[in-house]
């Protein structure tokens, strides 16, 4: 551009000098200079208009032909135009390939802009979610996916986990939704048909539930006969054998009960009924049972209970009691004698929190991600001796999932463990315990 400005300035000086010299010869230098500058300005304006017309033309065409500094400017613009056209063609090719590849996917891919409106989606989204390319583009996502559970999941903004819901277009199709943030607060929504996996999982759950239910009756009969035999005067070797059989039968009954509970929890992603439950009452009874368990195991534990009375929790009382008691009883089983166990309930701006902190042996970091798997044991011999079924933390995980909560585990070898349940703010409710006492 420096070359263009220099050429234009040189042209202006040349025209002014020649016209002034010619004007001196003719005796009218001022008129000659003014006339030449006027003609020069008209020429420049004409070239400028040609340039503007080329800019404003909708059809991609070559710039006008010209000489001098205007020719240099047009040539430079033509070079820039060809470069821009190549970049546009390359971007169009990439976009076209992206659209072709996503259209071939069986999963629905949806791009949601920062204003929560649908910006783009592939063909599978039309089938799985019932979207329409003509009428739904630019519409708010929550106007089209209106399930309250999806709305809560979307507004919460924490997309580490996915959510599975029925398709809004086909009630017999189960869709797994997962959202990822990208760009300037844009979101990528991936919806996958998991109906077949859900049916397979349901078959497995039905088998476990039926098998566990069928095991209950023979176990009850076996335990009944064992108790009858143990009431008799028997030789010591036979008495030891029957006592061991009774302990194993009791353990089998506990395992069957936990399997039935886990099957019931897995049957639904959400608690069947949610009512305010009195946290103080539940935790007080759990701690009392934990103290009795500690005495039975000959462990002199110091168990403390710290409760924030301001808020209770909405949920299914039986399920939450099972989850909380599993965490407390695990602490009793695995904490050595004379250890300390702290049970706490509190609330803050993030929601409600329940934690169990012990002074047990701790758990290696490599085991923490797998603790909620069924029958996963850190130490097989120690876990079997404690009387646990290996399903406690799996039950806790499913109960929390049905109540919108999460389980966190912090542990270090030799420094104990802390198991904490975190519930969202919409699950906590003001406590009426103090009001009842005052009345």
């Amino acid at each position: 551009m420096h070359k263009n400005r220099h050429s234009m300035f040189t042209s202006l000086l040349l025209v002014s000098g020649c016209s002034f010299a010619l004007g001196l010869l003719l005796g009218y230098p001022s008129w000659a200079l003014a006339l030449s500058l006027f003609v020069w300005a008209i020429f420049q304006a004409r070239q400028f208009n040609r340039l503007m017309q080329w800019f404003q033309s909708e059809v991609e065409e070559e710039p006008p032909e010209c000489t001098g500094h205007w020719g240099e400017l047009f040539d430079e613009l033509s070079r820039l135009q060809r470069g821009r056209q190549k970049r546009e063609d390359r971007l169009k090719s990439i976009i076209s390939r992206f659209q072709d590849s996503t259209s071939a996917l069986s999963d629905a891919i949806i791009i949601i802009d920062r204003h929560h409106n649908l910006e783009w989606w592939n063909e599978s989204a039309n089938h799985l979610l019932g979207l329409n390319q003509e009428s739904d583009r630019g519409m708010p996502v929550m106007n089209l996916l209106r399930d309250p559970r999806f709305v809560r999941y979307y507004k919460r903004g924490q997309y580490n986990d996915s959510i599975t819901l029925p398709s809004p277009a086909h009630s017999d199709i189960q869709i797994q939704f997962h959202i990822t943030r990208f760009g300037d607060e844009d979101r990528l929504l991936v919806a996958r048909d998991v109906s077949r996996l859900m049916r397979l999982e349901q078959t497995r759950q039905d088998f476990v539930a039926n098998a566990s239910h069928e095991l209950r009756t023979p176990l009850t009969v076996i335990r009944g006969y064992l108790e009858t035999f143990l009431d008799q005067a028997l030789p010591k070797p036979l008495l030891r054998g029957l006592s061991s059989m009774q302990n194993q039968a009791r353990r089998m009954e506990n395992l069957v009960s936990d399997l039935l509970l886990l099957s019931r929890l897995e049957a639904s992603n959400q608690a069947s009924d949610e009512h305010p439950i009195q946290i103080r009452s539940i935790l007080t009874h759990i701690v009392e049972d934990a103290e009795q368990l500690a005495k039975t195991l000959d462990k002199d534990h110091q168990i403390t209970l710290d409760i924030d009375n301001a808020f209770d929790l909405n949920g299914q009382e039986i399920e939450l009691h099972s989850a909380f008691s599993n965490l407390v009883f695990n602490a009793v089983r695995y904490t050595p004698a004379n250890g300390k166990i702290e049970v706490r309930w509190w609330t803050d701006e993030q929601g409600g929190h329940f934690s169990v902190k012990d002074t047990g042996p701790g758990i290696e970091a490599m085991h923490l991600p797998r603790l909620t798997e069924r029958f996963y044991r850190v130490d097989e011999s120690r876990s079997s001796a404690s009387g646990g079924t290996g399903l406690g933390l799996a039950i806790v995980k499913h109960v929390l999932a049905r109540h919108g909560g999460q389980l966190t585990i912090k542990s270090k070898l030799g420094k104990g463990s802390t198991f904490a349940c975190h519930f969202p703010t919409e699950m906590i409710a003001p406590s009426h315990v103090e009001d009842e006492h005052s009345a």
Side-chain angles (χ1 to χ4, degrees):
M1 295 302 294
H2 174 74
K3 181 180 179 181
N4 291 336
R5 288 196 299 269
H6 178 73
S7 298
M8 184 176 290
F9 182 71
T10 303
S11 172
L12 177 61
L13 290 180
L14 183 62
V15 170
S16 300
C18 293
S19 60
F20 186 78
L22 181 61
L24 286 177
L25 293 177
L26 298 177
Y28 302 98
S30 299
W31 285 101
L33 179 61
L35 180 61
S36 62
L37 290 177
F38 178 73
V39 173
W40 183 86
I42 290 177
F43 174 78
Q44 304 300 330
R46 182 174 179 275
Q47 299 303 322
F48 179 78
N49 287 335
R50 293 177 66 191
L51 176 63
M52 293 304 298
Q53 290 175 0
W54 177 64
F55 276 148
Q56 296 172 358
S57 62
E58 297 181 357
V59 181
E60 295 290 344
E61 58 182 15
E62 292 293 325
E65 293 290 338
C66 191
T67 59
H69 54 270
W70 283 104
E72 294 175 0
L73 176 60
F74 288 157
D75 290 342
E76 181 68 17
L77 291 175
S78 178
R79 186 185 66 80
L80 294 176
Q81 181 193 48
R82 289 192 297 270
R84 178 180 61 84
Q85 188 63 44
K86 288 181 180 179
R87 289 192 296 271
E88 285 186 359
D89 293 341
R90 186 167 61 252
L91 288 175
K92 288 179 180 179
S93 175
I94 294 173
I95 292 174
S96 177
R97 291 176 59 191
F98 169 76
Q99 291 179 340
D100 291 342
S101 60
T102 53
S103 296
L105 293 175
S106 59
D107 298 342
I109 309 295
I110 303 174
I111 296 178
I112 304 171
D113 65 23
R114 58 183 303 182
H115 302 294
H116 316 296
N117 298 325
L118 300 180
E119 186 173 344
W120 179 89
W121 59 88
N122 64 350
E123 186 66 28
S124 296
N126 296 332
H127 169 67
L128 292 179
L129 304 178
L131 299 182
N132 187 291
Q133 293 283 358
E134 297 180 357
S135 60
D136 293 337
R137 191 177 302 277
M139 295 292 290
V141 61
M142 287 177 285
N143 284 10
L144 301 173
L145 302 175
R146 300 181 179 181
D147 192 301
R149 291 167 292 181
F150 177 83
V151 173
R152 285 200 301 267
Y153 171 73
Y154 185 87
K155 289 184 176 180
R156 191 178 302 164
Q158 299 176 357
Y159 306 130
N160 295 329
D161 298 323
S162 58
I163 183 173
T164 302
L165 300 169
S167 167
H170 309 279
S171 58
D172 58 332
I173 295 180
Q174 293 292 320
I175 303 294
Q176 183 184 70
F177 296 92
H178 188 83
I179 298 177
T180 303
R181 294 181 183 272
F182 73 97
D184 187 13
E185 289 300 316
D186 294 332
R187 291 169 174 83
L188 180 69
L189 171 63
V190 179
R192 176 172 299 170
D193 183 356
V194 293
S195 303
R196 182 173 179 273
L197 293 177
M198 295 287 287
R199 287 192 293 269
L200 292 174
E201 179 65 16
Q202 186 62 47
T203 302
R204 183 194 62 79
Q205 293 174 12
D206 292 342
F207 170 77
V208 172
N210 294 334
S212 301
H213 182 75
E214 292 299 325
L215 284 172
R216 263 189 163 180
T217 300
L219 282 172
T220 303
V221 174
I222 291 172
R223 279 200 61 190
Y225 277 109
L226 287 173
E227 291 175 357
T228 301
F229 293 149
L230 288 172
D231 289 338
Q232 310 298 322
L234 300 172
K236 288 186 178 180
L238 184 57
L239 186 63
R240 285 197 301 268
L242 292 175
S243 297
S244 178
M245 292 172 63
Q246 185 185 46
N247 291 333
Q248 294 302 320
R250 185 182 297 112
R251 185 181 172 197
M252 283 291 292
E253 281 191 327
N254 293 335
L255 177 60
V256 168
S257 297
D258 283 353
L259 283 172
L260 287 173
L261 174 59
L262 193 56
S263 297
R264 191 176 75 250
L265 294 175
E266 291 176 333
S268 173
N269 294 326
Q270 197 170 21
S272 56
D273 54 346
E274 296 178 359
H275 302 289
I277 60 174
Q278 295 184 359
I279 289 294
R280 173 170 289 277
S281 176
I282 288 181
L283 296 185
T284 300
H285 286 98
I286 290 176
V287 169
E288 291 175 353
D289 294 339
E291 291 172 344
Q292 291 297 323
L293 177 62
K295 291 180 181 179
T296 304
L297 298 175
D298 295 327
K299 295 183 176 182
D300 187 15
H301 288 154
Q302 179 184 347
I303 304 177
T304 60
L305 178 60
D306 180 15
I307 298 178
D308 176 8
N309 289 317
F311 290 93
D312 283 330
L313 186 63
N314 288 322
Q316 218 286 331
E317 183 171 351
I318 297 177
E319 295 180 9
L320 291 171
H321 185 283
S322 176
F324 295 161
S325 61
N326 266 302
L327 295 179
V328 177
F329 295 165
N330 278 350
V332 172
R333 291 189 183 100
Y334 300 129
T335 301
N338 302 317
K340 295 182 179 180
I341 299 174
E342 299 176 7
V343 181
R344 186 184 175 205
W345 163 260
W346 78 99
T347 58
D348 55 24
E349 60 274 8
Q350 276 79 39
H353 312 275
F354 169 78
S355 69
V356 180
K357 183 178 181 181
D358 62 52
T359 57
I363 306 169
E364 290 187 70
M366 60 180 291
H367 296 294
L368 296 182
R370 301 191 60 189
L371 286 181
T372 56
E373 295 180 10
R374 301 174 208 181
F375 303 112
Y376 183 80
R377 298 184 185 276
V378 176
D379 186 337
E380 184 67 30
S381 60
R382 187 188 68 177
S383 300
S384 300
S386 69
T389 63
L391 296 173
L393 291 180
I395 291 174
V396 172
K397 177 183 176 181
H398 281 83
V399 169
L400 294 182
R402 285 162 57 84
H403 289 79
Q406 290 183 333
L407 175 68
T408 60
I409 306 173
K410 297 180 180 178
S411 184
K412 289 186 177 180
L413 286 177
K415 295 185 179 180
S417 306
T418 300
F419 291 78
C421 306
H422 307 281
F423 300 91
T425 53
E426 59 263 25
M427 297 302 293
I428 62 175
S431 176
H432 299 290
V433 175
E434 296 180 357
D435 297 341
E436 294 174 357
H437 286 314
S438 62

